Amino acid sequence: MLRVALAEARAGYAEGGVPIGAALFGPDGGLLGRGRNRRVQDDDPSVHGETAAFRDAGRQRSYRGTTMVTTLSPCWYCSGLILQFGIPRVVVGEDRTFEGRHAWLAEHGVEVIVVDDPECVELMTTFIKERPDLWNEDIGADE
């Protein structure tokens, strides 16, 4: 599952964007939607990896049993989406470069699995070194 999200993150990086990818899987493990952070490419601050995957999945009658897989710990915005629609499980590729709000999700009953994938860590570490300005913009940090 993480490989799908990682492929999206790499595609975003190749496009000059923030390399965060995500995918939403159904209860049967089938891929519902995939996406990547496209804030730069689309000039739209609302297109995070998780929101792009959610939109790509289209309308679902229920999100029971689904799994959101993301290369990086989700921010408040994406964590709110996960709670709002009752996505019960989140798989996080890494949380070393950005802790995000996965602990908050867990406090609210979401099963959170942090993989600590070396490829996810390397991709984000490289990006942050190359584009600290864009990284700080993405996470809302002062430079």
Side-chain angles (χ1 to χ4, degrees), residues 23-135:
L24 183 64
F25 292 88
D28 64 354
L31 180 64
L32 298 174
R34 60 192 297 160
R36 59 186 166 274
N37 183 307
R38 295 191 53 87
R39 295 178 68 250
V40 173
Q41 300 92 311
D42 295 352
D43 196 28
D44 181 347
S46 70
V47 187
H48 292 205
E50 297 89 342
T51 60
F54 183 77
R55 289 174 180 155
D56 187 55
R59 181 174 160 240
Q60 304 291 313
R61 292 196 60 169
S62 171
Y63 294 90
R64 269 185 295 235
T66 61
T67 301
M68 178 67 77
V69 180
T70 180
T71 57
L72 187 64
S73 183
C75 68
W76 277 118
Y77 172 57
C78 296
S79 294
L81 177 136
I82 290 163
L83 279 183
Q84 172 71 33
F85 291 94
I87 297 170
R89 186 176 312 101
V90 177
V91 175
V92 176
E94 69 102 349
D95 66 351
R96 290 191 218 176
T97 59
F98 182 72
E99 190 171 322
R101 300 297 174 243
H102 66 266
W104 180 74
L105 286 169
E107 289 171 13
H108 287 83
V110 175
E111 178 187 3
V112 177
I113 301 164
V114 179
V115 178
D116 196 28
D117 181 81
E119 291 179 66
C120 291
V121 173
E122 181 181 345
L123 183 59
M124 284 308 300
T125 301
T126 299
F127 168 74
I128 292 167
K129 285 179 186 172
E130 291 175 353
R131 295 295 313 270
D133 58 326
L134 186 53
W135 173 242

